[in-house]
Amino acid sequence: MPRTYRVLTLTAGLSTPSSTRMLADQLTAASRTALEATGAEVGASTIELREHAHDLTDALLSHFPGERLRPVVDAIREADAVIAVTPIFNVGPSGLFKLLIDALDKDLWRGKPVLLGATAGTARHSLALDFAIRPMFSYLRAELVPTAVFAASADFGGASAAEASQDPLVERAHRAGGELAAMLSAGVGRADGSGETDDGSEGADRDDDADGASVGTSPALDAEFSDFVPMGRLLGH
């Protein structure tokens, strides 16, 4: 029986239509083609983050995803792979895209294969993928596809041919989709849960003072901080 993969695409475009959504669709199609070539079946879905801008803001303020945002959280958790595409503003991802990262439990991304994409007016912004977005997902412990795809206006035919990349967008998209398919076929990705607690809420790991007061036990520390001693204990309090 062929394996079925669930591929979720998250796009942070702010308009309709948007070049961000166009790139997201190309990456989704390329990934689907590559996976189907292995004999697998693919269930692909796309979420426009702009439709959840207010819900993400509420989640950031309340530390809890509301009813309208729960399907987004569930979709990320259940996906075998995520394609995340954002426009570049001021040498970084859009505020809407960053809001998604800040508002949701970071454990959602642990071990998740993620293919990154970004758009901007010119190729001068392409380094933002490697210097602003890739490190963010590395911190979240996602499994990143080696090829991240950047698309400028020229890649969509909006400028002269001389400004277009020598490496056509369709080729880059297919290369990235093939790498994602290879990762999934090799079993990359978590097989356990995503930090969800028994009551269905998320075990958010935030740096807010309120967290320590609401939980009776000390939070787990990364191995590199295993010898950490609280200041109160050092002072004999």
Side-chain angles (χ1 to χ4, degrees):
M1 182 176 181
R3 173 72 188 273
T4 300
Y5 293 104
R6 292 165 293 186
V7 177
L8 172 67
T9 300
L10 302 172
T11 173
L14 301 181
S15 61
T16 302
S18 71
S19 59
T20 303
R21 177 59 188 264
M22 291 168 63
L23 175 59
D25 289 344
Q26 285 201 38
L27 295 177
T28 301
S31 300
R32 178 194 290 273
T33 298
L35 284 167
E36 290 178 342
T38 68
E41 296 181 354
V42 181
S45 59
T46 300
I47 293 177
E48 291 272 5
L49 295 182
R50 66 185 184 85
E51 297 177 357
H52 298 278
H54 294 290
D55 306 316
L56 288 168
T57 301
D58 291 342
L60 184 63
L61 295 175
S62 66
H63 297 179
F64 187 80
E67 181 179 351
R68 281 174 46 87
L69 196 59
R70 290 299 305 183
V72 177
V73 176
D74 293 339
I76 295 174
R77 177 182 295 112
E78 296 168 2
D80 294 297
V82 173
I83 299 172
V85 188
T86 177
I88 299 298
F89 296 137
N90 299 320
V91 202
S94 70
L96 179 59
F97 189 84
K98 189 60 166 60
L99 188 59
L100 171 78
I101 302 302
D102 293 342
L104 302 185
D105 181 2
K106 67 185 182 68
D107 284 339
L108 277 174
W109 304 98
R110 181 178 299 175
K112 184 81 66 180
V114 176
L115 193 168
L116 297 176
T119 60
T122 69
R124 291 178 298 175
H125 301 282
S126 60
L127 291 179
L129 266 172
D130 289 324
F131 289 95
I133 303 175
R134 186 179 291 275
M136 184 168 61
F137 279 91
S138 295
Y139 168 77
L140 296 171
R141 301 181 184 179
E143 296 287 349
L144 292 172
V145 173
T147 296
V149 181
F150 176 86
S153 297
D155 291 304
F156 297 106
S160 65
E163 296 177 351
S165 171
Q166 294 181 353
D167 191 7
L169 177 58
V170 64
E171 292 184 8
R172 285 176 277 147
H174 280 294
R175 181 165 64 247
E179 292 172 357
L180 177 60
M183 289 175 63
L184 290 175
S185 298
V188 175
R190 61 187 174 195
D192 56 351
S194 56
E196 186 177 13
T197 57
D198 292 338
D199 61 357
S201 62
E202 293 162 291
D205 182 11
R206 302 183 185 274
D207 294 329
D208 299 318
D209 294 338
D211 288 352
S214 62
V215 181
T217 58
S218 299
L221 297 175
D222 290 340
E224 60 183 307
F225 301 115
S226 59
D227 58 348
F228 172 77
V229 179
M231 182 62 70
R233 188 181 306 170
L234 290 173
L235 297 177
H237 293 170

